Amino acid sequence: MRNSSWRAMLRSPLVVIVLVVLVWFIATFLVLPNANLLISTFFPDGKLSFRALEKLISSERALKSLWHSFALAATLAVTVNVVGIFIVLVTDYFKIRGSRVLWLGYATTLIYGGIVLAAGYNFIYGKNGFITNAALNVFPDIDPNWFSGYFAVVVVMTLATTTNHMLFLGSSLAKIDYQTIEAARNMGASTWRILWRIVLPALRPMIFAVTVLTFLTGLGALTAPLVLGGTDFQTIAPMILTFSKSSGSRDLAALLAIILGLATIVLLAMMNRVEKSGTYFSVAKVATPLQKQPIRNPLANVLVHVAAYVLFVVYALPVLLIVLFSFLESTAISTGTITWDSFTLANYATVFGTPSVLKPFVVSVVYSALASLIVVLGMLFVARVFQKHRNPVTTLLEYLLHIPWILPTILIALALVMTFDRPNPLIGGQVLTGTTVLLLVAYVIVKIPFTLRLLKAAFASVPESLEDAARILGAGPLFTLRTVLVPLVLPTAAAITALNFNSLLDDYDTAVFLYHPLYEPLGLAIRASTEGENNLDAMSITFVYTVLLMIIMGFTMWLVYGRGGARGRRGVRRGTRRAGAGAGPGAAAAPVAVPVPAAAVATVSPAPTPAPRA
Amino acid sequence: MHKRTFKTASVATIILSTMVLASCASADAGSGEGQGGGDAGGTLIVYTNSNGDGRGEWVTAQAKEAGLDIEIVGLGGADLANRIVAEKNNPVGDVVFGLNNMFFETLKDEEAVTAYEPAWAAEVDQESGDPEDGAFWPLVEQAIVTVYDTNKVPAADAPTEVADLWKDAAYDGRYEVNTALGQATPQLVLAGLLAPYLDEDGDLGVSDKGWKQVEDYYAHGSPAEEGTDLYARMARGDVDFGVLPSSGITARDAEYGTVTGVISPADGVPYVTEQIAVIAGTPREAAAEEFIDWFGSAETQGAFAAEFASYPVNEKARGQALPEVVELIESLPKQDIDFALTRENIGAWVEKTELEYLP
């Protein structure tokens, strides 16, 4: 397929520069620190220790938790697809009344997650939740604990992780060749037959890709099982977290994380194979925009409408509740006795009354923006080189860039602190520990795998003919990259930037060991104001911060997706623009079909929002 | 249009942020060079896990009045100890306080703190700190107690020994157990459970009987709920008993209208002592020592105790502590726990418990 000969690769100065910088970066920031830490972990006295493996195998609890994590991942791979495809179809494919409002409801998962999301569902359906209480008044025989364990975790995580479907599947759908659909209809195919035989098959690569993503999220599940799993359904992530904080048990943490990481890599390798055999880009060459399909069967139409709106309510309730709860006294929330007197502005007063409350917001916004832009810009070059030149070296480098998926964030952060606490020749004799730079480096590192997977996929879908045309017209490689290729992947790049930005905003695990004392990031500030044995308003204050974060994240998403017109017209706009320069109008994704091979949050990414317990 | 806005925005953000970071970095470079060369000036960086509930702001303000310019860096106990150890070759913090003796034993073992005899050394019980080397010094004492609401469980009906909770079927599932063993309090509970059963021949230095206690303790308890306070669960009737550091009682009784009762076993309850020390290798050692002299003094500790319901180790400061706090602490015998030994083993104990006994 693509040119993979060495000489061709090394002939381009651009590629050589990218490779040199990349090799330096990987060696300095990914391999050296983590290898140091892992060697001291697994070879405590200079020889390999199987202690961790023996401990793990003899622990029934660890094996059970590990099994739960895999079971959860497998279940989510199915359930998230069912719900995710459904919401994409009702918002983008079928003619549904009020689909824009529905979209907003389903999009709420873009702006919150972690413990707040789990707690939100628990307040509604949990043992003391108001739906449970209401149901108990009518049917006193129901088990008040009905919403816990495997079932509850699956339900909550299914709803929480449809984000990727909305972003990436939604954009693939918009690129389906509408003329095929019209042709099928003219030949008398029913709505369902078209859906089954034309639409879903065309979406298959993307469905497979987001399935991998979902699987990985399931493996790393932390807060939902903690809040809702009860004693019967605990996953492995909390154990990894505990072990990685204790120096004696770090080998176990690393081993467990590596097991999850290996599953990631196996899936990744599978995706790479599928991508190589790639024969599935059914990109519309003609700009006939997708038109929304009516559901002709009246009964089915009613049923789909009802299901869509029920789902909308389920999605929107926790968010409304969190906003509401941020105005409530914490005892009212925790004991479940809400009266008119419980409403208060005190939580907001507490947050805004803290001296220099604004500073952590500024610090985090700067760090997150900088890290997400740097990683996207860097990976634009890297993904391009990987895509164009496939040989053992680039394959090796690509796998090395996935190290952040294999190790727990806490270990990566610790490894950085301990490696760069003395002058290091690889970085010009600088000491990074205790400076503001180290946290930025860490943020860039942890976002590399996700960014690389998505960008590489975006490049994969760019027709080679465009590039050839540019070359024939005499454009240099940098010029071609800048004016032809980058604009084609820019919408994807913008979406990734926004997602990375949002997820870094309230990060705690990376920052805790790395932040400069004078520049406290938001995650730390939230934790500080919700921690403490006498701090009984922890949950309310978490809610206040969540509401503030929702505002910032909502604004980010609006910058990327929302501006310049109604969503309902997106398909039309995208279609027409694509015929032009190919630069999508800031709309949801790449102008050409983007198969996302594998992308996910870090294998173990503990609660983005802090757990309020000391 | 979008493309261009995005590009412009990106470029602008990068330039702006680089400027911000560059200015930070150059500011660091100033102090950074100092770190190697022994710059005694600049803000004193104070590491603590005891900054919650407004303590951090209070200490900063009081220190300022005393002419000390400090910046509080607050992190949870385990995270803070890990950070200090990780940074020991190039310390960022200058002084650390609030961690319990177990964590300080670790810091001392890693040579991350350095010995200093404070001006108030004679006013505290040396035994509560590090009597051998004087590497860290005690500030505040806390008991780790099992509590209940006497409005719901009359004191007469409460068990007299903590072990009754898991030996008597009547309490099955009625007491909260905290399973987050990475945190300090659950670790101390574990240490307290195992302390009477130390046995060199047993697994990890603990007899089988001791491990049986741990197994039963977790098996019959109700695991803590992430994000829900013990007292909220008691108010809802989920549980009747739970473990709390003694300093948390006053605020909860006020908030939930409870009247807290405490189980006082004959062998005593685990006590922890929060300590203070200079971080080894700091260029601002003199300032750090000055801070320690000020913060541990009877005057400051007394004011701190009055403000935050703590029980100071400094005997001269105890006069200012809240009477109910003094009464409670003095009514609870101290359990005999060998903290040096516990510190050596707690990691392995936590690991075993996590792997084998947690629900």
Side-chain angles (χ1 to χ4, degrees), chain A residues 548-588:
Chain A
L548 299 176
L549 277 168
M550 280 178 178
I551 294 171
I552 301 181
M553 293 178 181
F555 179 70
T556 320
M557 296 320 286
W558 175 78
L559 276 182
V560 175
Y561 288 91
R563 291 177 307 162
R567 233 198 79 82
R569 299 205 314 271
R570 224 181 57 196
V572 182
R573 292 156 50 87
R574 192 187 290 133
T576 45
R577 297 270 176 119
R578 188 173 58 231

Side-chain angles (χ1 to χ4, degrees), chain A residues 215-264:
Chain A
F215 189 82
L216 298 174
T217 315
L219 281 185
L222 177 77
T223 42
L226 274 182
V227 176
L228 297 162
T231 45
D232 300 332
F233 194 76
Q234 286 304 318
T235 51
I236 201 74
M239 207 185 267
I240 296 181
L241 198 62
T242 303
F243 286 156
S244 59
K245 287 186 178 177
S246 148
S247 57
S249 309
R250 231 166 247 161
D251 51 347
L252 264 168
L255 178 71
L256 287 169
I258 286 171
I259 291 174
L260 299 188
L262 281 182
T264 312

